Amino acid sequence: MIRFEHVTKKYRGTKKPAISDVDFEVQRGEFVFLVGASGSGKSSCLRLILREDTPSDGRVVVLGRDLHTLSTRKVPYFRRNIGAVFQDFRLLPNKTVFQNVAFTLQVTGASRGFIQQAVPEALTLVGLDGKQKRLPHELSGGEQQRVAIARAIVNRPQILLADEPTGNLDPATSVDIMQLLARINEGGTTVVMATHEAGFVDQMKRRVIELRDGVMMRDDRRGGYGDTSAIPRLAPQEEKGAAATAALSAVLELQREIAASPVEPVPSAVKDAAAEAVSASAVAAAVAVTPEVAPAVAADITEPPESPPQSPTHADGRPPTRPIRIDAPIVQLDGLELDDLTVAERLGLASDEDEVGPTS
Ligand code: ADP
Ligand code: MG
């Protein structure tokens, strides 16, 4: 699903590569933590996955696409399959919650009917019912990150990248966001998360790839954070203990369920590091936050699909999520039966929807 083949990235004007000979593969449906000190190369990896940057050496293959051979005009199509969230949320300050989530869909040419249905569903999924008309500054940090997550998943990407998504949030709120990401992963979305939150990494026991000075130090199938002496440790605050503990328990229970089911094995040949996570402006990417990107995206909408659809399957027997074709014009969504294609269903979360937030 995401493959780094001996990838080195050296930025212009720098002496040392930001990442050196990084080699790993992430399988469909995995949840991968990318850990390492500030400057270790996590965000650089995520930018490469989003094709916001290209390697100086080596190859990055995402969703079967060698990103080196992906033409610039096809990048917007490619990015529709990848959602991304960031530490600083990156919401459009003068747009409402609804407009922030709808913006990506509008830019990619989705029909009004689809937008009117998909956006509220995504907001329900992240627990933001009733806040559609708020502006970002009228929301708490956790709520702003939920808007960003709704925006990242509204188009049902196959991959969700998260670059230190809890970095600006208090511990209890971070737990909520973590729980939401775990649930999205449970629905079949591959998640790659860069983080400093050793507590989450240790508790979730998912795959951990560690970078140090751009070099992959470790790729543990069910790892912990490792040496945490250099980072502040995340622990639920005493006074917020009840909610945080309950939420953490839910995360852990969920992870136990996932762990109990057979997991796609990571071939030993590719047992390397995994992903990095999110970075870059998935927003600018998938969502084309910059207005000048919009015309290019719009121009691409009429282009016919060029590659066969991905066919997601889950080794553990979960029902396959419906694929988004890499180059499929978004306008094809108009033909879908929206009643059969709620955001929750597309994420495989429909039956648990009310655990994430109130349903309408
Ligand atoms: P992390 O996300 O783990 O903090 P980054 O990927 O942001 O690490 O950075 C890795 C290294 O690359 C750092 O030394 C950083 O200064 C450098 N770097 C990142 N982006 C650029 C850039 N656009 N130009 C030059 N150097 C960069
Ligand atoms: Mg970073």
Side-chain angles (χ1 to χ4, degrees):
M1 181 137 244
I2 300 170
R3 196 165 74 242
F4 274 44
E5 298 177 2
H6 301 287
V7 172
T8 293
K9 174 66 190 178
K10 192 171 173 302
Y11 292 104
R12 202 167 292 160
T14 60
K15 283 191 193 139
K16 244 176 31 123
I19 57 176
S20 303
D21 196 28
V22 168
D23 196 86
F24 64 81
E25 179 160 11
V26 175
Q27 308 287 340
R28 183 181 301 278
E30 277 197 277
F31 193 117
V32 181
F33 284 115
L34 188 60
V35 305
S38 182
S40 58
K42 303 182 298 297
S43 296
S44 295
C45 284
L46 297 179
R47 278 197 294 274
L48 291 171
I49 295 171
L50 271 170
R51 198 11 177 95
E52 290 193 337
D53 223 331
T54 51
S56 314
D57 206 358
R59 220 158 70 110
V60 177
V61 181
V62 178
L63 294 166
R65 288 303 193 88
D66 178 349
L67 300 192
H68 185 68
T69 63
L70 192 69
S71 69
T72 304
R73 57 194 297 272
K74 289 186 185 147
V75 168
Y77 281 107
F78 163 74
R79 287 181 182 152
R80 288 177 195 175
N81 297 280
I82 306 180
V85 291
F86 306 90
Q87 179 170 355
D88 56 1
F89 318 139
R90 302 195 187 178
L91 300 178
L92 299 164
N94 299 322
K95 289 193 181 289
T96 64
V97 166
F98 185 98
Q99 289 167 336
N100 265 280
V101 177
F103 191 71
T104 317
L105 297 175
Q106 288 167 339
V107 167
T108 54
S111 72
R112 178 186 289 263
F114 181 80
I115 292 171
Q116 290 299 331
Q117 174 143 352
V119 173
E121 286 172 0
L123 290 171
T124 295
L125 196 69
V126 301
L128 284 180
D129 270 343
K131 306 216 164 145
Q132 297 191 1
K133 293 185 177 160
R134 300 267 189 99
L135 289 168
H137 73 84
E138 296 170 333
L139 299 173
S140 70
E143 287 171 334
Q144 290 182 51
Q145 192 58 295
R146 285 172 183 275
V147 176
I149 292 171
R151 178 180 57 187
I153 63 170
V154 70
N155 204 26
R156 191 196 151 273
Q158 299 185 54
I159 297 171
L160 178 62
L161 304 178
D163 198 350
E164 311 208 21
T166 60
N168 281 346
L169 303 175
D170 65 71
T173 305
S174 297
V175 168
D176 292 341
I177 295 299
M178 203 60 232
Q179 184 181 30
L180 182 54
L181 295 176
R183 289 178 58 80
I184 289 167
N185 172 247
E186 186 193 22
T189 307
T190 305
V191 177
V192 181
M193 171 172 166
T195 187
H196 280 140
E197 308 280 20
F200 290 146
V201 177
D202 288 342
Q203 287 155 22
M204 288 182 62
K205 300 195 168 33
R206 305 301 287 186
R207 185 173 174 189
V208 175
I209 292 174
E210 180 179 355
L211 293 172
R212 191 180 303 163
D213 294 331
V215 176
M216 244 177 74
M217 305 303 292
R218 186 159 69 94
D219 181 4
D220 289 343
R221 192 81 187 87
R222 295 195 187 280
Y225 192 94
D227 179 10
T228 58
S229 56
I231 56 162
R233 187 158 177 96
L234 173 75
Q237 290 166 4
E238 205 70 44
E239 60 272 25
K240 293 178 181 168
T245 303
L248 260 179
S249 300
V251 171
L252 292 172
E253 178 56 33
L254 174 62
Q255 293 304 324
R256 271 192 292 275
E257 281 170 24
I258 294 169
S261 45
V263 179
E264 216 175 350
V266 179
S268 55
V270 293
K271 195 217 173 233
D272 316 313
E276 233 288 55
V278 184
S279 137
S281 332
V283 178
V287 183
V289 159
T290 46
E292 61 271 21
V293 178
V297 175
D300 270 340
I301 284 169
T302 53
E303 186 178 287
E306 289 189 3
S307 67
Q310 304 280 312
S311 36
T313 52
H314 297 302
D316 60 5
R318 275 176 284 146
T321 52
R322 297 181 204 199
I324 290 178
R325 298 170 67 141
I326 289 184
D327 281 332
I330 274 301
V331 290
Q332 286 192 349
L333 290 172
D334 291 353
L336 294 176
E337 288 298 320
L338 290 175
D339 286 344
D340 293 337
L341 191 61
T342 65
V343 168
E345 282 177 329
R346 284 180 284 139
L347 287 164
L349 295 175
S351 59
D352 296 330
E353 195 173 82
D354 54 354
E355 290 178 28
V356 181
T359 52
S360 50

